[in-house]
Amino acid sequence: DIKQVIQSDMGLRYLYRNELLTVMEQARSELDYQLSLSQASTEDLLPLLRQAQDACNQWFAFIDERDVEEAIAAVLKEKAP
C-alpha cells in the first residue's frame, strides 16, 4: 500500500532528523564542557560529530537529486545581478 510506504519514509526522515538534532545537542554540550577545561580533549567530541555527520548524510539521502539541482539553480538565479 502506497500510503504505508509514504508513512514509513516520513518516519525514517523524522528519525534521522531527530537523531541529528540530539547528537548535535550532545556535541554542543561536550564542546562547552571541553572549553571550560584547562586542557581540552577531542576524544569524546569527535565520535559525536561523526554520528551527526552520518545522521545528516542519511537524512539528506532521502532528497531526490533533481530536487537538489532545482534548489541550487533557484538560489543561483536569486544571486545573479
Side-chain angles (χ1 to χ4, degrees):
D1 176 58
I2 190 71
K3 186 176 180 181
Q4 288 178 329
V5 170
I6 292 171
Q7 287 175 338
S8 176
D9 182 61
M10 292 295 288
L12 285 173
R13 289 176 194 225
Y14 289 132
L15 176 71
Y16 290 128
R17 183 206 60 196
N18 290 344
E19 181 180 349
L20 172 62
L21 294 174
T22 299
V23 175
M24 286 304 297
E25 184 176 322
Q26 292 170 343
R28 187 177 308 119
S29 295
E30 179 63 25
L31 177 62
D32 288 342
Y33 171 71
Q34 290 298 327
L35 292 175
S36 73
L37 302 175
S38 59
Q39 288 190 327
S41 168
T42 60
E43 184 177 335
D44 293 328
L45 181 60
L46 287 178
L48 291 170
L49 293 175
R50 286 188 186 107
Q51 276 184 286
Q53 183 179 26
D54 289 343
C56 191
N57 288 340
Q58 291 172 323
W59 188 37
F60 286 144
F62 283 99
I63 302 171
D64 187 270
E65 190 173 331
R66 289 173 295 187
D67 292 339
V68 174
E69 291 169 359
E70 287 179 24
I72 290 171
V75 169
L76 293 175
K77 185 178 179 180
E78 287 180 11
K79 287 187 173 186

